[in-house]
Amino acid sequence: MDEDAFNMAVRKFLKEVGVTSQREIERVVREHKVDGGRLKLRMTLTAEGTPLEHVVKSEIDVS
């Protein structure tokens, strides 16, 4: 396995996830679709054919 190519592919994927996720979060907040002033977030990372299931949870104050 080419470590440099692997690292670049992972970074590219994570950048796409980060950018698109931020856009979606901003859209939901901008469209006033958040109840209670707090946005509860959960991101689940899976990889087909593997046991990978990594969950990250957070809350953001949007009031």
Side-chain angles (χ1 to χ4, degrees), residues 4-5 12-13 20 22-23 25-26 32-33 37 46 48 50-52 58:
D4 289 334
K12 182 179 177 182
F13 171 76
T20 59
Q22 181 174 349
R23 286 180 187 152
I25 291 167
E26 290 171 347
H32 307 289
K33 295 182 178 179
T46 61
E48 287 186 33
T50 75
L52 176 62
S58 187

Side-chain angles (χ1 to χ4, degrees), residues 2-30:
D2 181 343
E3 288 289 327
D4 289 334
F6 173 70
N7 283 331
M8 290 302 293
V10 170
R11 288 173 185 253
K12 182 179 177 182
F13 171 76
L14 293 173
K15 183 176 180 179
E16 182 178 348
V17 168
V19 169
T20 59
S21 297
Q22 181 174 349
R23 286 180 187 152
E24 288 301 305
I25 291 167
E26 290 171 347
R27 181 186 59 77
V28 146
V29 170
R30 190 174 43 254

